[in-house]
Structures are given as structure tokens and as C-alpha cells.
Amino acid sequence: MVNKCRSQSAKVTSISYWVDKIPLCPRILLFLLLFCFQLPSRLMGIEAYPSSMNIAEEFHSRYDFAQQNRAEGYVFNTRNEPLSQVTVTDIKTGKSTKTDLQGYFSLEVQKGTVLAFRYLGYKNVENTVVDERQMKIILEEESQVMDEVVVIGYGTTTRKSVTGAVDQVTSKVIENRPVANLTQALQGTSPSLIIQQRNFNPNSGGDLNINIRGLTTMNNNSPLIVIDGLVSDDASLNNLNPADIESISVLKDAGTAAIYGSRAASGVILVTTKKGKKNQRPMIQVGSQLGMQDPEVLVNPVKGYQSALLKNLALTNSGSTPAFSPAEIRDLAQHEDSEWVMDQIIQTAPQQTHNLSVSGGGQNSTYMISAGYFNQRSNYIGPDYNIQRYNLRSNTVAEYGRFKLTSILAYTRNNAKDAVSSPIGDAMRIPTYYHYRSQADNGKYLLNDVLTESNPVAILRDGGSILKDNDYVNLNLGLDFRLMDGLKLKGVFGTDIFSDHSYTRRLEIPYYLNEGDSTPKMYANATRPTEDWNRKAYLLNSQILLDYEKSFGAHRITGLLGLTNESYTGTSNSIKLEYTDPDLGTPTTGTVFTTSSSVTPQNTNRTAINSVLGRLGYAFSDRYYAEFSFREDGSSKFAESNRWGFFPSGSLGWRLSEEKFMDGYKQHVGELKLRGSYGILGNQRIDDYQYWTVYSVYNNIYGYNNQAVSGAGFTYGNSELTWEKTATFNVGLDATFFNSALSLSADYFHKTTSDILLTPLIPTVFGTTLPNFNSGELKNRGWDLSISYRLNKRGFDQSFGINVGDTWNEVTKFEGNEQIKKTEEFYNIIRVGLPFNSLYGYKTDGLFQSYEEIASSAVPVGYAVQPGDLKFVDRNGDGVIDSKDRYVIGNSFPRYTFGFTYNLAYKGFDLGLLVQGVGKRDQAIRGELLEPFHANYSYVMYQHQLDYWTPTNIHARYPRLTASGSASNENNYKMGSDLNILDGKYLRLKNVQVGYTLPSAIAGKIGMQKTRVYVNGQNLLTLSNHSFLDPESSEFNANMSNGGGANSGRSYPLLRYYGFGIDFQF
Amino acid sequence: MKKYIYKRLLGYCLAVVVLLSSCNKLDQSPTNNFTDDNFWVSTDKAQLILNMAYSQMYNADKMFSDENLSDNLFQGRSATDQRTIRNGQATPALGMFSSSWENMYQGLKTCNIFLDKIDLVPDLDVAKKSRMIAEIRFIRAYQYFRLTNFYGDVPFFTTDISLEESRTVSRTPYATVRKFIHEELEDIVKDLPSRNNLPVSENGRLTKGAAVAMNARAYLYEGNYEQVKLNCEKLINEQAVYGNYSLFGSYQGLFMPENENNTEVIFDIQYVPVLRTWSNLNYMAPISVGSPLNASAPTQSLVDNYITVNGLNIADDPAYDVNNPYNESLRDPRLRATVVYDGFTWRKPDGTVTTINIRPGSGTADEYRTSSSNVTSTGYYTRKYYDPTSEAGFVSGLNIIMLRYADVLLMYAEAMMELSEMDQSIWDQTIRLIRQRAGFTSAAALNFPTHATDLRDIIRRERRSELALEGLRYFDIIRWKEGTKYLSGYVYGARFANNNTENIQLDYRAFNEQRDYLWSLPLDQMNLNTNLRPNNPGYSY
């Protein structure tokens, strides 16, 4: 007994060593976890076998040499070839070794123990009782591709029986990557799962675009997120701890997604979290990663005096007086430039991740308990801007007789501290004149000619902050009841509870014009605003499912029938104060509530969706498959008469290689399967209450005698509103070659989305806008391809994976057939026959070289241009450049998106690479990155802009320098031409990981089952056709709409990550 | 038996789902807005729509935007739509052609919906109702007034338009719409209160005087001087009926927050400190007093318009010194109430004064450097409409005057001059009063110019000086058909170029007599509704 206690405390000590390395809060979580992992096993009456009580015993026996014995033997494959590097483990002690080149192993073991043989790509062999003789073990190769279990909607299936298009991303791809969230981790992992990270600000996790198979609709293209069987909120995906993920299924066609009915048109992402394994002793895994993120600012300003010279040139070129006298320029040249403000505000920042999990199980129950901590420091200078995430999860399964209870409890906490405004735009525009200083020696923040009302350094250092905290609880209880052989009744109840809060405090900062000034020119945040925002939301999810699966000889029948309800209720409120106490931010005399404060009824949203769903499957002899599924949804987003919709799908599969006449093929080549599906999917992602005509009251719209009054406006409703329908056809082929070493999966699809909800473009004479109408149609075609190959020779275990996909769309029906919108300099066009929201504008025809050329060419009306200015193509030849001369000049949606993975294991070493990219994309750019001295906001010129036209540089890339506002400048930079379009294709080395796993003998000596150390890097290398803009940056969100304005490239820079990590398993 | 149990179990499960589904029902209505069912039920709700119509009529942005179209202001910092129009570069695709059109038809929608639905309101007091309707009709007439000023013939309707109609409606001739405007403005006078009976709490609501003055302005823009005369005479001579109006004692004080709703104001757009505000001066006032940058600045042409205290144009007055152009003892006092020039004495809210130095080399924040910079492009900043009580960022609750009595006097003077009825007595009740109030004292400036002088030039010049930066100049130039005279050639700034020997030379403007008296119809609207074509003359399509 004494012994037991001692060894148990020794265990805790070894953990606490690592615990000390972890910050306080996660440490508390960790201890809680250690406590928890003992608790549920007791509560659930787990059998004595590897229960927690046995840990001590096991440790005790590990040092009990008296009972030791030696096991030795050889390991072969089915072709009787010796296998090296096979891991041989004593199940009882955890000790392990590896076979040598002859397949020989020898291990000190306990008497009567069990040996386990594990080798990647081969079926595990266990339960081999050690006897005295030399053993001969045969490992069978796994035909792992076809037998892989695939998670689908409301159930699982195997790869060989899948009839639709589904990709599964496993934990292996996600593990140990220094990603900030799960969405980032998914980039490049699955064909036609298109993820674009538009900026890298840790505090704006929402700038990731997710699209599955292109643009399904002209509205919201977000895929449906389902976590452990429950439909969840979009935000939940990034609340998960990537380390907790077992697998992620991407449902892409009607065959697999129709079971999610009116919300599945843009695809479904099914996330399954890790569970414990039955009959497994507690396995403790600890992992930590630490690294630095290095911001990569892609542009560099010219020297200060050069900037001044070039500014003068731009002015004199436009007939204006120069801004700098020769003396001033000489003065600038004689002084050393100040540090560029962009470099002043951004710095390398650390990132850390720590994870701990305990999992195991008895005969009737399993558990998996995990805790995670993630901390990414913002690269901004200032008071520790960062984002932190805490994850806690307990997944347990208990079986008793006919019952199986699954319980998932997950808690996520995000804490973030963000800057009150993005300083990048301002910082990038400031030249490096020595006298432009952000802060004087006496501490005063200074303004200058460029920074007329804001100072990036001041805002970051002393401007206040936004403190955000989010609590997310996910509760998921499922009870399976086996009614009879093959028939199960499942009841599931789940809830997502979101509780978000943010507190914004903007601090008053005095700005001075000169160091010596005693009174400030002005104050930033002069109204001292303070703001509190609270949101509470819960999503209730209840399901009753009847699940049937039974084989009758060669026939196998599966069936599913279910009823579900989901209710969402979200409320929020905000308090906005101005003129608060300068020290505390609390109300004081003179404090006012701003009228944009809001109370709960202003921000209440309630939705509900009731559904009936079903699936019927039939398989004959593992050769022929047929499946039909449907869902009928009733949604509160639509008026009663249009509320219910029916979404059916059917699919067929044929494993050719199982046919008699293909026996030869199967033996010599491999598996071959054809599959196809057709069905209807829906999309109902629109704002709530759209079918109501509403009158909204606006505060302080007018006033009489200095008394403010309210006004009312109205918004038309459309009672005919209903969901969009996407008819999807998919054919696919799965094949394996070379004994399953090479496997290939290819799909072709065609989808037509009709009844797309569009705001009709109507004459403005009508006086108001209309709500959405079901009026658009969009066609998509595309293909996905994934290939994986494994090669295992001379101890080098290699695997290659390639995935690539393409989708192209065409607007086939659109209200008014055409819509051209201008966002700053850019035109976007929606036109029947073109891809959705294409870039539209003028085609350039080089630069004017002479006045004669100008005289004989078309120019925009009223523009006096000069040699060196842009020349445009006069499309209709009418002698003038006007809007009739515009062309379609590109499309910003990524095409030929690809991912490439490579893994290599040799002895204890391993290497993993992930390359990801886009094969075709047009990237539009405006602003100072393109135009020198942009619109008088920027006073700087960048080195990449120096190739401008001069009489001696007539083959320049850019037009001559001109002053903002001049006709030439308007002509060159404000027309919206293909000068603004860059080639956006790229290839990025997304992730590199090099690891070393300690030989198990050594690991065993330090009490570990497995110890792995690794170094990793992210975004280390990018190949693209231009140097000054991150090729991923885009003004478009996942819906290809650009509400935020045209792309200016003023985004948080790309972060390169370098780091290392360590994993323990014991 | 087993089957029976299963059946019961299934039934139980269904019940559970139904029970749980009662969490949220499928029928959901918004909690933050009214619906058609519960809106038109009270006078207060109808008043909310009326308030909305008031706010859509006119505002500070529109006033300064109109002024930027004229020769009074110049936007040197960036290429705005106004600057594009002035430089002759506007095409039918110009954003401003489209947004202004949309904005005015939105305002009209509010009015027409109000008129269509007001009968739904139960128990609405008859007098109250007819007054509300009169106010709405004024606002509707004003929207059409503005539309026809810019676009000429426009789609015209007086009840809410259906979507189908909006796609096919064609343009109604300018004259028809203007006739409607006059009829409306005349008809509603009876239902509006006189200023004399207006309770203080209703300051800012439309009155008889506003309707008559607006009617006079509409006639003025049409060159119907007979009617201008008639309507102005109502306001000048029949004050018992149309309200007592007179010039406010101080020109500068007229635009001060403490003098809001004074006797000169016939109608203004009302703002409320902190709650409903405007802040255009933030990009027009001198940098050193808090403006972050200058987006729009007065031109030399405006500065030169101000006469001398001797009643002479600067070119004609030997006392005028080109090297001391802003001599405060010589120039029209309204210059320093309007424009900030080099050496200007700026009075801060706390009563202290600071001198604004703009001349190159002065080394101040306001110093002129070059056009195309963050400081003034012309060498001037703006003083008029500065509100000393404004919050940081020039956030002001000062009312924007739309119609004032001085304008009535100037309209009257102009009409009488055009009708050749201008004489000593008319002069004395119009220009003389205005100049006296402005601070002129010399007889040369106050007396009727009997010697052979261009009376038209004097009155037009007076109008420009008095009403500068009040959003009227552009329309005056257009109605006089003097585009080439005022809106062509180089724009000039102060004499700061070439070592202070030449005026700053800015944009070259090209006024097209065949085109620029009207705006183009918005291209996108002509594409949506081809019945709007043909476009106004001169535009490429």
C-alpha cells in the first residue's frame, strides 16, 4: 500500500515538472483534468482492468525485475519478406523495441504478457502471448483505403461503401501544426475545400474564407458545420482545439449532404472529436509547442530624400509647384532616415500551445479528457495584445446491456486583447524623413503632414484596448438503445451556449505638432468612449433517430429515420458611453450615453428549424450499392406558406473490381469503384425576419428647437421568400494500384443553384431597396482529384498526397441580366454568362510615348493626358474612352487550388511537409501599394514602384509620376484598369515539421512510452508572380462580395512561424 | 408484446421531440421593429415618418457639396466628383449623378408613402393632419425642385410608385414639374402656421413664410421675375399674414448657435448639439485650430468678389493694395466672417485669439505648401458656419439655414432690377439694409448708385458676398447661364506662388455651354429603364 502511494506521487512529480513550464491558468486546468480523469471512471464503474487504480500497480511492476523474461523472433509480411522498423510493444509494461533489417527483435518482457506489433500500413497484430520459443509473426498489409471508416451525416460508413463525394481529413494532418485555429489547419488538406486567409491578424480570426466546391450561391457560401453529430454555429469550428480532432469529413455532393437538407448546399463539414479506446490503459499525452511569428512586410519605402525628390517630380509633372526646396532635400539627404513607422509598430512575437489528454477505457466504457492552451501574441507593439484560448473536453462513452450513453462536454474560453484600431494604413504611408518622429524625446506624440489626426505608435501604445472574452460550452448527450438486432433507437440532445463579452476603452491621447508645443494640436479619442458589449446565445438541438443495419446473406440493408429540432436564440446589448472618467473609464459628471447603445429587444434573434430525415441503403455482396436519402425542413425564416421544403438524393456505387471477370485486374492492379449521385440541396442562410415589412425607428434623425426627435424608415418584406435549391450531380471513381500503395479518387460534378436570393436591382426612382427575392441562377462545374502514394523501402517510409480541385461558375439567370458595381476604383460585374462578380474595367494598351500618339488616340472625356500616361483600348472605336470601352478583366475566385503533403519516416526521424496554393486567380489591388503618393493620403513611394515612365525609361511598368487630382493621375490610377490586376497564383510552403522520436528503450528509461521532439515552421516560403502583396490577400469574402471596400493591401502582414515542440506519451 | 413496447417508446420519443421543439416556434417576428400591422396606428408614428422626410430634405453635406460645384470653393486635395464635373470630365457613369438621384427619390418615397397611408391613422385631429400633409407636400415639392434643378426633365409622380412603374416611367417635362411645385407651394400656405403663431417648441417646422420664400426661389431659378416680385412682396409687405421677418443685427451672429431661429431665419435644417450633428468644417477650418487636413478651400475668385467699404470693386478702388489685399479697414466686413486669409485673427471658443499665418515661409501648420497637400490648396480656409461651441472634430449642432430674409431681399432686388423697376426706394429696402447690417457705413456703399454703373453686376456681386458658402452660388450661375464666365479657365488661389508674386494656379476648368447646365442622368438608371432616354444634351450617351 505504501509502495502504491509512493509511486503514484512520483508520477505526479514527473508531470508537475512540465506543469511548471505552463502558465498559471492552463496549469489550473491541468490539475482539474488530472482530478477529472480519475473521477468519471469511478462514476461509470469502469472494470478493474486498465482503470486509474491500476496505474500505480503498473508502475510498481515496471521496476519488478524478478519476473522478467526475454521474447525474440522475426516479423515478415505475407510475401515472407522480413519487415524492419516494426514496433514491438509489451502491452503490460509499455516497453517496446523495433525490428532490425532482418525483421529480428528481442525484448525484455514480463512473463505472460501480450506483445503488440505495429507497423504503418499493416494491420496490427496483438494478443500474441509470449512463449519460450522464437516467434514468427506475419503482418498483413492493410488495404487501409477501402476499409477506412468514414464519418457521414448521422452515422458512419466505410470507404468502400461510400457512394457520394466525401473527403476525410484525419488528425494526423492537423496534429502538431502551429495553427491558430482549425480552419487554418484545414487549408490545403482536401480537394476543393478552398480556404483563403485574407490577413494574419491573430485578433481577427474571421478573415478566413471557406468554400467547398466554389461558389454555390451569390449569398452566404459558408458550409454547414456539424460537430459530433450536432449542427453548430459557424464560429464553433474555431473554438475547437485542433488537438482534439479525430477526423473531419467534408461532404461535397448531394449523395452525402442531402441528409442536411435546406442548409447543405455549400457543403458540410463534419467534425468528430477524439474518444477513448476500449480495453486500453490510461494513456497520457502531453504536448507543447513554442515558436516565434515573424511578420513579413513585403514593401520597403525609398529613402526619405528620394521620396521628397519623387514627390516634387510628381507635382511638377502635373504643373504644380514643388513641395520641397533643394535645401530641404539636401537637408533630408544629409540626415539619417528615421525608422519606417511600419517597422516601428510591428515586431516578432511568440506563440505557444500546450495540450494534455488522458484517454482509455474498460470493456464497457471509454473516456477521453483533454485540456489545451493556446497563446498567440500580437505582432503589434503596445501593451501585450494577444489572443488566448483555453479548451477543456471530456468525451465519455458507457455501455450497459442494450444501452450506450455518449456524453461530450466541451468548454472553450477565448481571451483576447486587441488594439482599438488598425494602424497599418497610416503606418505604411509615412516617409522616412528624419524629422517625422512618432514620439518626441520628451514623450509627446507628434503629428506631421501625413499623420494629420492619428499616430500609429500612440494608438498602439496608449490608445486603449478592446478586451474580449468568449465562453463556449458544448454539451452533447446521446443515448443509443438497441431495440433488436440491427435496430437502434438514438436520442440526442445537444446545446451550444455562447457567452461573449467585449470591453472597449479608448483613451485620450494628446497630439502635438512640435516637440516644444505646450498645447496639443488635438486629442485622439477626445470623447473618451467606453463601450461594453454582451451577447448570449444558445442553440438547442434535439434528435430522435431510428437506425437499422442488417445483413441477410449477401444483402445488406441500412436505414435511418429521424426527427430533429434546432432552436437558436441570440440576444445582445451594448452600453456606449462618452466623456467617461479619464482614469477609470467609468461614468462621471458629463458622461453621456451615445444613442448607438442598445438593449436586448433591438438585438434579439430567434430561429427554429424542424426536420424529418431518412436514409435507405442497400448493398449486395459488397459490390453494388444504392442509397436514397431525404430531409424535409421547416424553417422559421420563411412565411408559413413557403416554410417546408423537401430535399431528396439518390446515389449508386459499383465496385467493379469485385466482379468475377475482374479478378485478374484486382490481383494485378487493385480496387476499382464507380459511384454517382444526384440530389437537391438547399440554402437558407439569409437574415432573419425577411418576410416582414418593417418600420424601423431611428433616433435623433431630426430636431425641432434643439430637441432631437426620432424618425422612421421602412423596409419591404417579401412574403414569397423561400430557400435556394442546388441540384447536384456527381460522378466519382476510386481506385487503388500497386497493392494499395497508390490510391486515387476523382470526382466530376455539376451543380445548378436556382431561386438564388437576390436583392433585385431596381430603378432608384422606386425610392427604396427591396428585400431578397428568389431570382438568380448559378451553374458550377468542377472536379476534385486526390492521389496518395506510400513507399516503404530500406526503412524509408514515405507517403505522398496530392489534392487538387477546380470549380468554375457561370451566372445563368440574373435580375436585369447585369449589374455593375463600383467599389472605389474597381468595377465588379455580375452578368449572365460570366463567372459571378468578375472584375471589370479598362484594358491598357501600354503607355503613351508622344503627343502625336495621344492626338491620334482615344482618351477619357475631358482628360488632358501626356506622354507617360496610360493608354486604354478604345473597344468600340468611337474615339473616346468611356464606360462602353470596359472589358471583363478577371475573376478573383481561386481556381486550381491544391495541396501537397509529404511525410517521411526513417528510424526515429520524421519529416512532414505541406505545400498549398492556388493555380489561377486574378488579384486586384488599389491604393498606395500601386499608386505612388496615393490620393495625398500617402507621402511615400516604395522601391517596387521605381520602374515608372520617364522620357528615358519608356518601357516602364508604371506610368509617369503625377500629382493626385491631376487629369493624368485620374487617368492612370482612378479608371479601374488591368493595371490594377495582378496574377494571384501562388505556391506556399505552409508547414514543415522535422521530428525525432526517442528509441522506445530510452523513452522507457525515463518513464515514457513515447517521446518526440520536433521543429516546425509555417509559411516559410511563398512563390508568387509579384513581390509586394501577399497573394492570398483579397477584398472578397467567401461569398465573393466586397462590402469592406476594394483591396488596398493594407492588411496585417503574413506571419512566418519558426518553433519547436515536444510530445510525451506515457 | 415487444412490438407494443417499441411502439410506445417511439411514440414517447416523438412526444419528446415535439416538446423540445416548442423551445422556439416556427412563427417568429422581429422584436426591434414595427410591422405594417402595428405601425399606422397613432399620430406619433405618423410624425416619425414626417421627421424622416424633414431629415431627407437637405443637410450640411448637400450645402457644401453644392458649394463645391461652384466657383466659391475648390477641392484641391482629392479628386472628388464635384471636381470631376467642374473639370469637364464627368461621364454619365459618375457616382454623384447616381447617388444624388437615388437620394432625392428616397426622400420622395417617404413623402408619398406618408400621403398614401396617413388616412389609416385613426382619430387623427383634422387640423393636425392637414398641417402634417402640408409639411410633407412642401418637402415633396422641394425634392422635385432640387431634382429639376440638376436633371431638368425627371420622372414625376405624386403617389407611391409601383415597382413595375418604376421600370417604365418616363421623364416629365421640366415645366410641368415646376408648375406642380408652384401650385403645391401656393396651396399649402393656408394649412401652415405663420411664424408669428409658432410656439417656440416648434421652431424648425415649416411655416407659411417658408412656402412663399421657396416659391419665390423656384420662380427665380426659372427667371420668372414677375412672380419672384409678387412672392417677395408678400414676405416684405404682408408680414401679419406671412410672418414677421427682419435682418438679424449681426452678419456673423446670424450663424452663431446662440442666435438660432432668429427673425431672419425663414427655414433652416435643424441640428441638435451632440445628438444630431454635422462636421464639415473639420476639413475646411485652419489646421492650427484643430482641422486635421483641408479638403475644400475658398477660391481667390470669392475673395476678390468682396467690395471695399467705399462700395467699389477692388479693381476700381485705388485704396486697394495688392500686397495688403485683406486690409480689414478697407474690405467688406463679410469677407472676414466668411474666409480665413493670411494674418486672420481667429477667435477661439475660450475668447483668446490666434493669428492664422498661411503665407509660405511662415512655418505654421497652416502654411501653404503646394496644391495637392494636406493644407489649403488655395491659401485660404473657411470661417463661415464655424460653431465655437462645437465638440472636438468640429462636431456641431448648429442649424443650417436654407431660407433667410436677406435672400428674400436679394431676390426682390434682383427681380426688380431685371424688371427694370429698381430705384432708390427698392434699393433702400433691400441692398442698403443688407449692407448696413453687414457693417458698411459710408454713403458710397449704402446709397443707390445713381451714376452709370452695371446694376446687374452690383446685385449679383452682392448676392455672392452675402450668401457665400450657403449652397446657392452654383444654382445662381446656372440660372444666369453664366457658366463660361464663372466656371471656365484656371482656378486661382492666393498670391503665394513664385515667391508671392503670382496667384496660385489650380485646375483648368472647362465649362461646356451645350452640356453643363444640366447633369447627366445616371447611366445605370438609363440602362434599367430605357424610357429615361434620351439623356440630357452633350453627354456621350
Side-chain angles (χ1 to χ4, degrees), chain A residues 245-511:
Chain A
I245 307 305
E246 174 73 35
S247 73
I248 289 167
S249 291
V250 185
L251 311 185
K252 301 195 283 198
D253 73 332
T256 51
I259 198 101
Y260 289 105
S262 69
R263 290 168 295 174
S266 295
V268 183
I269 293 180
L270 297 182
V271 181
T272 308
T273 55
K274 285 175 180 165
K275 311 274 188 309
K277 291 194 177 69
K278 277 189 186 175
N279 296 324
Q280 188 194 46
R281 67 171 193 88
M283 188 168 73
I284 302 171
Q285 286 179 298
V286 182
S288 283
Q289 285 188 59
L290 206 66
M292 298 304 279
Q293 326 149 62
D294 199 5
E296 197 179 3
V297 180
L298 295 169
V299 293
N300 290 300
V302 297
K303 286 208 169 303
Y305 78 92
Q306 283 178 308
S307 217
L309 267 174
L310 294 166
K311 175 81 181 172
N312 276 359
L313 177 62
L315 286 164
T316 49
N317 272 350
S318 308
S320 298
T321 39
F324 297 88
S325 68
E328 283 172 319
I329 291 170
R330 211 174 310 120
D331 179 53
L332 284 171
Q334 281 163 356
H335 286 82
E336 196 181 334
D337 278 3
S338 60
E339 187 185 16
W340 191 31
V341 178
M342 189 64 193
D343 294 330
Q344 290 177 37
I345 62 161
I346 209 143
Q347 63 192 9
T348 302
Q351 176 182 314
Q352 52 179 320
T353 313
H354 307 281
N355 284 302
L356 180 138
S357 75
V358 184
S359 66
Q363 266 165 355
N364 292 324
S365 58
T366 66
Y367 58 89
M368 199 293 295
I369 290 155
S370 73
Y373 173 71
F374 169 80
N375 182 334
Q376 183 177 4
R377 171 86 171 66
S378 167
N379 299 77
Y380 287 143
I381 56 160
D384 194 32
Y385 299 116
N386 69 81
I387 181 158
Q388 297 176 66
R389 188 182 61 232
Y390 300 89
N391 288 95
L392 196 57
R393 170 175 292 275
S394 150
N395 290 0
T396 60
V397 182
E399 289 176 37
Y400 177 75
R402 287 165 176 261
F403 291 96
K404 180 180 170 191
L405 175 72
T406 310
S407 112
I408 296 172
L409 182 61
Y411 170 72
T412 304
R413 166 86 173 189
N414 290 308
N415 281 349
K417 185 175 186 179
D418 198 0
V420 290
S421 61
S422 169
I424 288 183
D426 281 340
M428 300 247 302
R429 295 167 178 157
I430 309 166
T432 54
Y433 301 157
Y434 75 93
H435 53 79
Y436 277 8
R437 288 190 300 162
S438 296
Q439 199 166 12
D441 295 335
N442 57 12
K444 285 175 179 165
Y445 290 115
L446 302 175
L447 295 176
N448 55 45
D449 300 342
V450 196
L451 295 176
T452 54
E453 47 191 327
S454 178
N455 177 323
V457 173
I459 288 289
L460 288 176
R461 286 237 168 88
D462 292 322
S465 63
I466 305 173
L467 294 171
K468 298 179 195 165
D469 54 86
N470 317 97
D471 292 306
Y472 167 58
V473 177
N474 170 234
L475 177 72
N476 184 336
L477 290 172
L479 182 66
D480 287 16
F481 176 50
R482 192 157 43 80
L483 295 167
M484 52 183 267
D485 187 27
L487 184 65
K488 273 188 293 188
L489 180 69
K490 289 185 187 177
V492 183
F493 174 75
T495 180
D496 285 339
I497 303 167
F498 302 88
S499 176
D500 303 329
H501 166 243
S502 75
Y503 169 66
T504 306
R505 176 89 195 280
R506 287 170 214 274
L507 298 173
E508 201 171 34
I509 310 171
Y511 286 145

Side-chain angles (χ1 to χ4, degrees), chain B residues 1-229:
Chain B
M1 185 62 199
K2 253 187 173 174
K3 269 188 180 167
Y4 173 71
I5 292 173
Y6 293 155
K7 260 189 182 168
R8 276 191 57 176
L9 201 65
L10 193 65
Y12 174 74
C13 292
L14 286 172
V16 168
V17 170
V18 171
L19 204 76
L20 289 170
S21 70
S22 65
C23 288
N24 280 352
K25 293 192 169 56
L26 292 184
D27 282 313
Q28 297 288 343
S29 58
T31 56
N32 57 338
N33 289 319
F34 297 95
T35 62
D36 249 338
D37 303 335
N38 60 7
F39 188 79
W40 293 100
V41 295
S42 70
T43 316
D44 288 348
K45 297 286 187 307
Q47 181 68 41
L48 292 178
I49 300 284
L50 178 57
N51 296 342
M52 178 59 85
Y54 266 98
S55 76
Q56 289 173 325
M57 181 163 41
Y58 190 67
N59 56 37
D61 284 342
K62 289 183 186 177
M63 181 176 83
F64 288 110
S65 169
D66 291 349
E67 207 62 24
N68 282 320
L69 286 167
S70 79
D71 56 349
N72 282 347
L73 291 179
F74 178 74
Q75 294 167 299
R77 190 172 177 283
S78 40
T80 62
D81 282 357
Q82 292 91 334
R83 192 170 171 189
T84 302
I85 294 173
R86 280 290 63 84
N87 288 351
Q89 296 160 347
T91 68
L94 190 79
M96 197 171 167
F97 292 156
S98 183
S99 61
S100 300
W101 176 274
E102 177 173 10
N103 184 290
M104 288 180 271
Y105 279 103
Q106 277 170 350
L108 283 167
K109 180 98 180 170
T110 307
C111 298
N112 285 328
I113 286 274
F114 180 94
L115 293 171
D116 290 358
K117 300 251 187 185
I118 186 70
D119 289 338
L120 293 175
V121 180
D123 311 321
L124 183 48
D125 175 75
V126 178
K128 214 173 214 174
K129 183 174 171 180
S130 54
R131 180 180 173 193
M132 286 169 94
I133 290 174
E135 287 172 285
I136 279 285
R137 286 168 67 192
F138 178 100
I139 296 167
R140 182 172 64 178
Y142 179 75
Q143 297 285 14
Y144 276 124
F145 170 67
R146 224 176 134 73
L147 269 169
T148 43
N149 288 341
F150 285 126
Y151 299 98
D153 305 348
V154 293
F156 171 69
F157 40 86
T158 55
T159 56
D160 188 33
I161 190 172
S162 74
L163 185 56
E164 218 23 69
E165 287 166 325
S166 77
R167 289 186 164 123
T168 54
V169 65
S170 51
R171 298 164 70 182
T172 299
Y174 172 87
T176 314
V177 183
R178 299 301 281 232
K179 184 162 172 280
F180 169 81
I181 292 168
H182 295 306
E183 283 166 2
E184 286 286 281
L185 292 175
E186 260 159 52
D187 195 44
I188 60 173
V189 170
K190 64 180 189 310
D191 294 327
L192 290 172
S194 153
R195 175 182 193 276
N196 302 353
N197 308 325
L198 200 69
V200 170
S201 65
E202 291 183 8
N203 271 337
R205 289 187 66 170
L206 287 157
T207 57
K208 289 184 197 300
V212 174
M214 186 52 72
N215 208 5
R217 181 179 286 173
Y219 280 123
L220 183 77
Y221 285 16
E222 291 150 33
N224 188 337
Y225 298 109
E226 203 59 62
Q227 283 293 338
V228 177
K229 173 185 163 188

